[in-house]
Amino acid sequence: MKGPLFYSKILLFGEHGINKGSKGLSIPYNFYNGGLKLTDIDTDAAKKSNASLRGFTVYLEKLQTEEPGLVTFDIDALKRDADAGMYFDSSIPQGYGIGSSGALVAAIYDQYAKDKITVLENLTQEKLLKLKKIFGRMESYFHGTSSGLDPLNSYLSIPILINSAESIEATGIPMQNLEGKGAVFLLDSGIVKETAPMVQIFMESLKDQGFRTMIKNEFLKYTDACIADFLNGDAKGLFGNIKQLSKTVYHNFKPMIPEGFHELWQKGIETNDYYLKLCGSGGGGYILGFAPDIDRAKESLKGHKVEVVYQF
């Protein structure tokens, strides 16, 4: 292994809304991880990853030339390692909305950036925003545009609260209670997705005045309320607001919900067994769920793959 492992992340709240002024809350998810590797380079997966890494290297060389004040890499070392077959060995499912490209970006920055901001420093607002900007530019290679939040979360491996575009902070989340019935879970849609088309759908929708009004008056309001409830450990408030958020997403973000899950989405709202929301940009991958009683939710979702992330 060349360098440390970096974890996947889950954007609990803020998908699509962060760019429009909502708050966001992102947490590391240690179940999946990845790291740069220089051994076992002859497998198909290693070769595919290496080819992608070579393309990324070309992009990073161009990036540091175009924005010299932003970030500088040891490109010679990166090229040398890429030529030797280096790849990103990862258990993070790609196209599932939990930060596979973010972990790769974090690993490359950690290993090859010059004058890097390290996790051990006093992470001031200025440093966090600088990191977020660097990571956003780096990850744009994979998605067209990026907030930089996924790599930031992966790099720091701590929960991050986004207050606004100019204000982010490391935050604490309430302790897990493994005896608790309440839970956050991942529901596997079985569909690999691409982020860019989902972002495109959202941007197109914003041209509609009615959609913009809904974002401002409903989507952002419920997102911010869910974050406050979650951080304050207010389960009752959280489930009230997450139900409203789930309804808002169901009625206004249909193209981003895999078709086979429309009924399941509605069933959760009607039965109150669970509430679903987009995980990342939507379109497939994982769907995020919140359940007042995880055993009841599992029973209600029988036949579907449910992965518990956090219990409270």
Side-chain angles (χ1 to χ4, degrees):
M1 195 63 74
K2 190 172 175 65
L5 290 172
F6 291 91
Y7 297 114
S8 55
K9 62 82 218 180
I10 293 174
L11 183 62
L12 282 184
F13 303 102
E15 71 291 335
H16 292 296
I18 291 172
N19 296 332
K20 292 280 110 202
S22 87
K23 290 190 174 186
L25 179 64
S26 185
I27 62 170
Y29 184 38
N30 299 355
F31 189 72
Y32 297 113
N33 59 51
L36 296 167
K37 213 171 174 187
L38 268 165
T39 53
D40 306 320
I41 59 174
D42 290 326
T43 66
D44 288 344
K47 286 175 181 171
K48 191 178 169 192
S49 172
N50 175 256
S52 170
L53 206 57
R54 286 167 184 262
F56 190 36
T57 302
V58 172
Y59 171 83
L60 292 179
E61 187 169 22
K62 189 165 168 258
L63 175 69
Q64 71 174 20
T65 306
E66 288 173 356
E67 299 189 50
L70 183 67
V71 62
T72 311
F73 299 96
D74 186 345
I75 290 289
D76 290 342
L78 178 52
K79 279 182 179 171
R80 197 164 53 242
D81 289 340
D83 287 344
M86 183 176 72
Y87 64 101
F88 190 60
D89 183 33
S90 170
S91 64
I92 307 168
Q94 285 189 331
Y96 262 65
I98 58 169
S100 56
S101 58
L104 166 59
V105 165
I108 292 289
Y109 177 83
D110 180 67
Q111 197 64 36
Y112 298 100
K114 294 180 175 177
D115 303 320
K116 68 181 182 187
I117 296 167
T118 72
V119 185
L120 302 173
E121 292 175 37
N122 173 23
L123 291 168
T124 60
Q125 181 76 234
E126 192 185 355
K127 285 177 184 172
L128 285 170
L129 287 169
K130 172 102 191 264
L131 270 176
K132 184 172 174 288
K133 187 178 180 186
I134 291 168
F135 289 149
R137 292 282 198 280
M138 289 174 72
E139 198 182 32
S140 292
Y141 173 74
F142 300 100
H143 298 319
T145 58
S146 163
S147 68
L149 188 60
D150 287 6
L152 183 65
N153 202 285
S154 195
Y155 184 63
L156 300 177
S157 206
I158 47 177
I160 292 169
L161 174 64
I162 302 95
N163 293 307
S164 68
E166 297 306 315
S167 170
I168 57 175
E169 59 183 292
T171 188
I173 58 174
M175 283 288 289
Q176 280 220 60
N177 173 11
L178 298 177
E179 304 298 311
K181 284 183 179 295
V184 180
F185 63 88
L186 294 172
L187 183 64
D188 190 347
S189 73
I191 302 163
V192 175
K193 61 155 186 142
E194 285 184 47
T195 300
M198 294 301 112
V199 173
Q200 191 57 41
I201 290 169
F202 180 73
M203 298 315 278
E204 281 298 312
S205 301
L206 282 173
K207 291 175 182 173
D208 177 75
Q209 177 60 48
F211 188 83
R212 287 202 302 274
T213 303
M214 175 279 300
I215 289 289
K216 185 167 168 246
N217 295 344
E218 295 176 51
F219 187 68
L220 301 191
K221 182 178 92 172
Y222 294 130
T223 295
D224 289 356
C226 284
I227 290 171
D229 291 337
F230 186 83
L231 291 178
N232 293 328
D234 178 1
K236 189 167 184 273
L238 174 66
F239 286 116
N241 283 310
I242 197 80
K243 181 174 183 174
Q244 296 306 319
L245 183 59
S246 185
K247 273 187 194 172
T248 301
V249 172
Y250 181 73
H251 292 300
N252 298 283
F253 290 75
K254 276 255 173 69
M256 299 169 194
I257 301 170
E259 226 163 83
F261 287 80
H262 287 188
E263 268 183 49
L264 217 56
W265 199 289
Q266 208 169 3
K267 180 186 170 186
I269 294 166
E270 287 167 3
T271 61
N272 296 313
D273 287 349
Y274 57 85
Y275 308 110
L276 301 179
K277 66 182 288 296
L278 300 178
C279 181
S281 61
Y286 283 120
I287 293 165
L288 201 53
F290 290 75
D293 182 330
I294 188 59
D295 293 331
R296 202 168 78 222
K298 281 179 176 173
E299 187 60 37
S300 198
L301 291 163
K302 224 176 198 159
H304 294 276
K305 196 178 158 202
V306 171
E307 211 172 285
V308 176
V309 171
Y310 179 88
Q311 276 179 268
F312 55 95

